[in-house]
Amino acid sequence: MGRGRVELKKIENKINRQVTFAKRRNGLLKKAYELSVLCEAEVALIIFSTRGKLYEFSSTSNTLKTLERYQKCSYGTLEVKQSGRDANEEKFYREYLKLKAKYESLQRYQRHLLGDELGPLNIDELEHLELQLDTSLKHIKSTRTQLMLDQLTDLQTKEKLWIEANKGLERKLEEIYAENNLQQSWGGGEQSGAYSQQHPQTQGFFQPLECNSTLQIGYDPASSSQITGVTSGQNISGIVPGWML
């Protein structure tokens, strides 16, 4: 069976702890020696026991040389980084001071434009400030005038569009009125034509009655036959038959 995995924690038993320290220390020194021989690496190992006893190993003749080399590599790089960081911080600080001075100058100039803190200014500075205000005022007036002209142009364009729209609506209304009047005139003509066509037809029903003007009293066979013929002819024409005296 293989050796079980040892849990990494402090060994409470003092004797066992000292035995383990001696074994692991010797193994660590052996590994350092093997590393220096196999890989030609410069190795320095320093160990202090719990009692303060020193154990060391160095692949060179002197451990201090290895420590000096280590110090140059580590702290030299830190010093270079620190110097570079200091240079960047100083650069940023100078830039901050420039921006701060510019910001304060702009604030002071703004207060001068508003008419505040004018006491420290001399005559030349006041004249320059007055010239700046006049120029700004002219620019504001010209901008306002141009804006009003643009608005007026827009309103005129809208007015033309509304006028054209109103004219179009008027033309449509006139067309609608003309169509309505034309339809009314056509309707009246058709009614009058229908009446004129019906009137001759009604006149055909009223026809004069043909009869003999000779007055006959009594019964006469010949006359009765004539009357029968007349009535039969009148039935054909649509006249109701009857006795004629």
Side-chain angles (χ1 to χ4, degrees):
M1 294 180 61
R3 186 177 60 178
R5 186 175 181 181
V6 179
E7 185 179 359
L8 294 178
K9 66 177 183 178
K10 182 181 177 180
I11 300 174
E12 299 296 336
N13 192 342
K14 185 177 180 180
I15 297 174
N16 294 336
R17 187 167 60 246
Q18 290 178 356
V19 173
T20 302
F21 173 74
K23 290 180 179 180
R24 296 294 180 96
R25 178 197 64 199
N26 293 332
L28 184 59
L29 293 173
K30 183 178 179 181
K31 291 294 182 182
Y33 170 75
E34 292 176 354
L35 182 63
S36 63
V37 173
L38 295 174
C39 302
E40 293 184 354
E42 186 177 353
V43 181
L45 179 60
I46 300 174
I47 302 173
F48 288 97
S49 65
T50 55
R51 297 180 179 181
K53 190 175 181 180
L54 173 63
Y55 300 91
E56 62 178 344
F57 168 80
S58 178
S59 60
T60 60
S61 59
N62 192 354
T63 307
L64 294 176
K65 292 181 179 180
T66 306
L67 293 176
E68 289 176 358
R69 184 178 179 183
Y70 167 75
Q71 187 176 5
K72 288 179 181 180
C73 293
S74 300
Y75 293 100
T77 305
L78 292 175
E79 290 177 358
V80 171
K81 292 181 179 179
Q82 185 66 28
S83 61
R85 189 181 298 109
D86 293 339
N88 291 330
E89 290 179 357
E90 186 177 358
K91 181 180 178 180
F92 293 151
Y93 183 71
R94 288 197 301 268
E95 189 69 21
Y96 163 73
L97 293 177
K98 290 180 181 179
L99 293 175
K100 183 179 179 181
K102 187 175 181 180
Y103 173 73
E104 291 176 353
S105 177
L106 291 175
Q107 278 191 334
R108 186 166 53 255
Y109 182 71
Q110 183 179 8
R111 289 193 295 269
H112 291 165
L113 291 175
L114 295 175
D116 298 333
E117 300 181 3
L118 299 177
L121 301 179
N122 54 24
I123 296 176
D124 295 335
E125 291 176 347
L126 291 173
E127 289 179 355
H128 179 71
L129 183 62
E130 184 179 2
L131 180 62
Q132 290 291 332
L133 290 173
D134 291 339
T135 304
S136 301
L137 184 60
K138 290 179 182 179
H139 182 68
I140 292 171
K141 288 182 178 179
S142 63
T143 305
R144 184 190 63 182
T145 304
Q146 184 64 34
L147 182 60
M148 293 176 67
L149 291 175
D150 294 340
Q151 291 180 354
L152 181 60
T153 303
D154 294 338
L155 291 175
Q156 289 176 352
T157 304
K158 290 180 180 179
E159 183 182 5
K160 290 180 181 180
L161 294 175
W162 284 114
I163 291 173
E164 292 178 358
N166 289 332
K167 289 181 179 179
L169 292 175
E170 289 178 356
R171 287 194 295 269
K172 289 182 180 180
L173 290 174
E174 290 176 357
E175 292 176 358
I176 292 171
Y177 289 151
E179 291 177 358
N180 291 333
N181 293 330
L182 183 61
Q183 290 177 359
Q184 291 178 359
S185 62
W186 285 354
E190 290 176 355
Q191 291 178 359
S192 61
Y195 177 75
S196 63
Q197 292 176 1
Q198 292 176 0
H199 183 66
Q201 293 178 0
T202 55
Q203 291 178 358
F205 290 102
F206 299 97
Q207 296 179 0
L209 180 64
E210 295 179 357
C211 61
N212 190 0
S213 62
T214 303
L215 179 60
Q216 295 179 1
I217 299 174
Y219 174 77
D220 188 2
S223 62
S224 63
S225 62
Q226 292 178 355
I227 293 171
T228 304
V230 171
T231 54
S232 62
Q234 289 176 353
N235 286 329
I236 294 172
S237 62
I239 304 301
V240 179
W243 288 97
M244 300 298 296
L245 296 179

